[in-house]
């Protein structure tokens, strides 16, 4: 691509688009956001007026047929991703798609086929892998595992060879959600499919990215296929991930916490604002700036983030929490994913989260739902995890 600035279109102008896409693209120095498109024309008009976007439509084909458009961002309900992607790929448009890429495996295969036939790039916004905190955590983990160093007071068995299980790293993910964060659209079987499809694809993808090049080989799941659930994912090199998702929590306490154990050390990330490292010398805590922080003077790190949250919502009510406060949000990687995909388009680089990653997260989510309903551990066939497409 010879352009240094790409022309983009936003398809879907709802709550998420306002919180991320419209802010991020209009602020990006290498993106010219030309279109606001939404099936509800009023939504598109409001977005266009607020973000100074010149063109408005309720028909995504107006966007697809515009020869100036290089990239579309899809933030619609899940079930319409496929027709939009198919049309965009046929027209030579690069595609930045909100998660999940697809609700079902067969849709994902059709998307892969369309993107590759159209010779366009696709990026799925499974953004956790691009968050500064998770990038730093993985970098520290890989460095330690390649050359383990331990604190002098730490007891590490040296008389015998480690047993097999002692060599296997494990990731533990704890997510606690509150009911105001997901609309009933997430629950609808046709448009949402529940939070395993709508949300847990994030953490299934994160584990696959973190432990790559290992591939998942077995999955166990329990709880509700719609809301609170657990998932245990094994990899073919012995690594594993356990996800614990509760819908009965509160955002008074940050939503996401991660711990990885490996090489007689522990790597922890607290809601993307603080990383801690244990069992290794010379590894101080790391702090990461929130994406939006109206109270930066209150300090940094996890404890400060909790204090900021209380201060930020002190005068709000349950129904007016968002409207009456300035957003306080950790950096979950949305901007970094956009940056990386824009550079991939301009410089013909690989997508930071391509169609195969999108397919794999959908496959694992569907397998988790199947495991819950069957109350069984399911093998993951290599030909399914790494399909010949």
């Amino acid at each position: 691509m010879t352009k240094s600035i790409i022309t983009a279109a936003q398809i879907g102008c709802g709550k998420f688009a306002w919180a991320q896409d419209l802010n991020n693209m209009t602020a990006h120095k290498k993106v010219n956001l030309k279109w606001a498109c939404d099936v509800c024309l009023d939504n598109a008009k409001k977005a266009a007026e607020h973000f100074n976007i010149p063109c408005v439509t309720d028909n995504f084909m107006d966007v697809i047929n515009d020869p100036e458009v290089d990239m579309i961002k899809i933030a619609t309900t899940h079930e319409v991703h496929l027709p939009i992607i198919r049309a965009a790929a046929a027209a030579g448009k690069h595609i930045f798609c909100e998660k999940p890429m697809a609700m079902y495996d067969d849709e994902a295969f059709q998307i892969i086929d369309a993107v590759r036939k159209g010779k366009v790039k696709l990026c799925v916004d499974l953004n956790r892998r691009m968050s500064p905190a998770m990038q730093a955590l993985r970098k520290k983990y890989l460095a330690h595992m390649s050359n383990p160093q331990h604190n002098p007071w730490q007891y590490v068995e040296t008389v015998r060879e480690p047993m097999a299980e002692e060599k296997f790293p494990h990731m533990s993910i704890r997510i606690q959600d509150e009911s105001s964060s997901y609309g009933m659209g997430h629950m609808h079987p046709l448009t949402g499919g529940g939070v395993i499809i709508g949300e847990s694809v994030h953490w299934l993808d994160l584990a696959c990215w973190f432990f790559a090049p290992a591939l998942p080989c077995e999955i166990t799941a329990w709880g509700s296929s719609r809301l609170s659930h657990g998932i245990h994912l094994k990899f073919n090199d012995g690594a594993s991930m356990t996800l614990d998702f509760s819908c009965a929590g509160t955002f008074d306490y940050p939503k996401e916490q991660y711990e990885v154990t490996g090489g007689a050390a522990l790597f922890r990330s607290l809601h993307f604002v603080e990383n801690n490292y244990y069992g290794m010398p010379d590894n101080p805590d790391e702090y990461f700036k929130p994406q939006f922080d109206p109270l930066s003077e209150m300090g940094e790190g996890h404890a400060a983030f909790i204090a900021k949250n209380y201060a930020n919502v002190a005068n709000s009510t349950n129904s007016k929490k968002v409207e009456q406060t300035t957003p306080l949000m950790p950096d979950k990687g949305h901007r970094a994913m956009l940056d990386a995909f824009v550079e991939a388009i301009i410089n013909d680089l690989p997508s930071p989260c391509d169609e195969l990653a999108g397919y794999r997260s959908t496959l694992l989510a569907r397998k988790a739902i199947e495991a819950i309903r069957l109350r069984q551990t399911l093998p993951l066939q290599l030909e399914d995890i790494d399909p010949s497409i």
Side-chain angles (χ1 to χ4, degrees):
M1 188 174 187
T2 57
K3 293 182 179 181
S4 59
I5 297 177
I6 65 171
T7 298
Q10 177 70 30
I11 302 178
C13 298
K15 181 180 178 181
F16 176 83
W18 278 71
Q20 289 293 343
D21 296 337
L22 297 166
N23 276 299
N24 296 340
M25 284 200 285
T26 53
H28 202 289
K29 294 181 179 179
K30 295 183 179 181
V31 175
N32 169 37
L33 184 56
K34 181 178 179 180
W35 285 91
C37 173
D38 194 281
V39 67
C40 175
L41 189 59
D42 284 345
N43 286 350
K45 288 180 177 178
K46 289 176 182 177
E49 181 179 359
H50 185 85
F51 292 96
N52 195 29
I53 303 169
C55 299
V56 174
T57 184
D58 58 1
N59 184 348
F60 73 84
M61 287 307 299
D62 292 339
V63 170
I64 301 301
N65 291 328
D66 183 346
E68 292 185 354
V69 171
D70 304 302
M71 180 191 82
I72 63 168
K73 174 64 202 288
I74 303 172
T76 63
T77 50
H78 312 332
E79 85 285 1
V80 295
H81 289 181
L82 174 58
I84 297 173
I85 291 172
R86 185 185 284 130
K93 314 297 185 187
H94 301 292
I95 301 148
F96 191 12
C97 183
E98 195 45 49
K99 54 76 191 170
M101 184 181 82
M103 290 181 66
Y104 299 95
D105 302 353
D106 60 341
E107 291 178 338
F109 285 132
Q110 292 179 67
I111 287 171
I112 294 172
D113 189 54
V115 167
R116 295 184 178 179
K117 282 184 178 178
K119 297 182 180 180
V120 297
K121 297 182 188 296
L122 181 143
C123 178
V124 186
D125 199 10
L126 293 161
N127 50 279
R128 271 35 172 205
R129 60 163 65 191
M130 294 299 290
S131 71
M134 295 310 299
Q135 288 277 327
L137 198 81
R138 186 172 189 263
K139 181 179 179 180
K140 193 77 71 173
Y141 163 81
L142 291 174
H144 175 77
M145 295 299 282
S146 67
N147 183 28
Q149 303 290 321
H150 302 110
N151 289 322
W153 59 83
Q154 183 178 359
Y155 177 77
V156 179
E157 179 63 73
T158 58
V159 176
R160 59 170 172 79
E161 281 293 313
M163 291 178 282
E165 297 93 327
E166 294 175 292
K167 300 177 182 179
F168 296 158
H170 179 69
M171 173 182 282
S172 177
I173 304 175
R174 200 215 68 178
I175 309 297
Q176 57 87 28
D177 216 334
E178 66 176 25
S179 60
S180 66
S181 76
Y182 48 84
M184 289 307 295
H186 274 294
M187 304 299 109
H188 195 289
L190 297 179
T191 61
V195 297
I196 294 181
I197 285 290
E199 287 294 316
S200 290
V201 287
H202 269 311
W203 304 297
L204 292 163
D205 171 75
L206 182 72
C208 290
W209 165 77
F210 197 94
F211 290 127
L215 294 173
C217 62
E218 184 181 283
I219 192 166
T220 307
W222 55 92
S224 166
S225 62
R226 180 174 65 185
L227 282 171
S228 294
H229 59 275
I231 299 173
H232 185 70
L233 188 63
K234 287 187 178 180
F235 290 81
N236 58 6
D237 67 348
S240 60
M241 180 276 284
T242 301
L243 167 68
D244 179 14
F245 182 103
S246 171
C247 68
T250 172
F251 288 173
D252 276 357
Y253 191 80
K255 174 185 173 184
E256 304 186 29
Q257 295 192 37
Y258 303 84
E259 288 186 353
V260 180
T261 51
L266 185 144
F267 311 78
R268 181 172 73 171
S269 186
L270 302 174
H271 202 51
F272 311 101
V273 296
E274 179 179 341
N275 284 2
N276 314 120
Y277 307 104
Y278 300 92
M280 303 163 284
D282 302 320
N283 278 292
D285 297 341
E286 293 182 293
Y287 301 101
F288 304 89
K289 293 181 179 179
Q291 182 179 354
F292 301 110
D293 188 357
L295 299 168
S296 57
E297 71 279 1
M298 291 181 64
E300 57 186 2
H302 188 248
F305 189 88
I306 293 174
K308 290 176 189 179
N309 181 65
Y310 271 79
N312 196 45
V313 300
N315 297 319
S316 64
T317 66
N318 180 267
S319 61
K320 296 293 183 182
K321 180 176 179 180
V322 175
E323 291 82 351
Q324 291 188 1
T325 59
T326 303
L328 171 66
M329 184 181 298
D331 190 342
K332 299 179 182 179
H334 293 97
R335 287 177 175 172
M337 188 71 87
L338 174 63
D339 289 345
F341 191 46
V342 169
E343 291 302 318
I345 293 170
I346 291 174
N347 298 306
D348 194 23
L349 300 171
S351 167
C353 188
D354 64 13
E355 60 273 15
L356 183 58
Y359 155 75
R360 192 170 287 161
S361 64
T362 291
L363 170 70
L364 294 175
R366 299 285 358 158
K367 289 291 186 181
I369 292 171
E370 183 181 357
I372 287 172
R373 292 176 176 171
L374 294 175
R375 299 185 180 182
Q376 291 182 1
T377 295
L378 300 178
L380 300 169
Q381 301 300 122
L382 180 61
E383 59 267 32
D384 293 332
I385 290 295
D386 192 21
S388 301
I389 298 179

